[in-house]
Amino acid sequence: MLKYVSSLKPHPLNSKIYSNQSCEDLEASIQENGLLDPIVITKDNTIISGHRRWNACKNIGLENVDVRVEDFQDETIALVELNRYRNKKASELLNEIFHLEREYSKKIKRGRPKKGVNVDTFNGKVRDRIAKLTGVSTGNLSKLKYIHRVWPDIISLIDDGKVTINQAYTESKRKEVFNNIKVTPKNGVKKYDKSITTDSFTIYNKSSMDMSELSDGSVQTIITSPPYFQQRN
């Protein structure tokens, strides 16, 4: 089906999720080969998939464009799913994740899990579904959310290719650990009831005078300042 390019309109969520990218490569491709895939739209001419193609067609002066009209139960989910294979930045992936979480949260409120269904299992299925829709693993999905919570400023470095998701995740974990170590000039390490655990070590924010949390024979080396060698029992 052909539609006037001017009659189509972008979906309002598209610009909230995806950044503006150059269309020069698409413009050259369309001029040489034509539009290979139709633009997917709703009945009211709102674009669900094909915003860059639409912009490219406008830029090269096409009047008509091939479209496919479809009905969608949920346009947010459809918008993300149809962009699954798009080359996306970390910030765009996070935008997708947060919009999908809000959308699924609405669905969960409208229809609670059935009686007897474990809530964690239900939420896990939602996480798996979001990972599939966005085209990322559940592990990277969790890592991106953690990085965004602990150190959101580093997301731009992932976008620019200066660090990987795994590198940013590791540094974010270190940052969280050291942010939780409170040091005061008079008392040294401030006492806390909680401990901080990573994949490699555990930090106990307390005096080492009493380390009853540790089992006998589980510690190979102790380094203290000031020394507590006279406090051994």
Side-chain angles (χ1 to χ4, degrees):
M1 177 186 296
L2 289 177
K3 289 270 188 180
Y4 286 113
V5 172
S6 59
S7 69
L8 305 184
K9 54 188 177 183
H11 196 285
L13 269 184
N14 189 75
S15 60
K16 296 180 180 179
I17 296 177
Y18 305 110
S19 57
N20 291 325
Q21 297 180 1
S22 172
C23 295
E24 292 181 1
D25 56 334
L26 274 176
E27 292 170 16
S29 175
I30 293 171
Q31 284 178 317
E32 183 176 351
N33 305 306
L35 187 63
L36 300 179
D37 295 309
I39 296 172
V40 181
I41 64 173
T42 61
K43 289 181 178 179
D44 68 350
N45 289 347
T46 299
I47 300 171
I48 298 295
S49 176
H51 289 82
R52 291 183 68 237
R53 281 170 279 158
W54 174 63
N55 278 317
C57 290
K58 285 198 304 179
N59 292 343
I60 62 178
L62 292 184
E63 293 186 2
N64 298 293
V65 67
D66 191 23
V67 301
R68 188 172 75 245
V69 181
E70 292 189 17
D71 287 324
F72 299 98
Q73 290 184 347
D74 191 304
E75 292 183 3
T76 300
I77 293 175
L79 184 73
V80 173
E81 185 169 20
L82 289 172
N83 278 286
R84 182 186 305 175
Y85 302 109
R86 177 181 180 143
N87 186 20
K88 292 171 280 194
K89 300 178 180 178
S91 56
E92 293 174 325
L93 283 169
L94 281 166
N95 290 338
E96 287 184 333
I97 291 166
F98 293 142
H99 275 87
L100 287 174
E101 284 182 339
R102 283 193 289 269
E103 204 62 27
Y104 277 111
S105 176
K106 296 176 189 175
K107 293 179 180 294
I108 291 171
K109 288 177 181 177
R110 290 196 297 264
R112 299 282 183 182
K114 294 180 180 178
K115 187 176 181 180
V117 175
N118 184 279
V119 174
D120 290 337
T121 301
F122 190 80
N123 289 335
K125 289 181 179 179
V126 170
R127 183 189 63 241
D128 292 344
R129 179 61 177 155
I130 290 175
K132 184 176 181 179
L133 287 170
T134 56
V136 299
S137 66
T138 54
N140 277 344
L141 186 153
S142 298
K143 287 176 182 178
L144 280 171
K145 289 182 63 179
Y146 177 86
I147 296 165
H148 181 268
R149 177 175 64 81
V150 175
W151 198 359
D153 292 342
I154 205 173
I155 297 294
S156 61
L157 297 182
I158 306 176
D159 284 350
D160 295 339
K162 295 179 179 178
V163 296
T164 65
I165 291 176
N166 284 334
Q167 289 169 336
Y169 175 69
T170 299
E171 295 305 317
S172 296
K173 289 183 73 175
R174 289 176 181 163
K175 182 180 179 69
E176 185 175 42
V177 168
F178 288 104
N179 280 349
N180 280 283
I181 301 175
K182 307 298 182 181
V183 179
T184 60
K186 293 182 180 180
N187 303 322
V189 178
K190 192 172 181 180
K191 295 181 180 179
Y192 284 88
D193 292 332
K194 64 179 182 178
S195 62
I196 302 165
T197 303
T198 73
D199 294 337
S200 304
F201 56 84
T202 300
I203 293 178
Y204 296 93
N205 286 323
K206 51 173 282 181
S207 169
S208 59
M209 291 286 287
D210 176 17
M211 294 299 294
S212 56
E213 300 91 343
L214 304 177
S215 58
D216 291 344
S218 64
V219 179
Q220 182 184 40
T221 304
I222 297 176
I223 301 174
T224 62
S225 177
Y228 292 113
F229 60 89
Q230 292 181 336
Q231 303 295 331
R232 290 180 296 176
N233 54 30

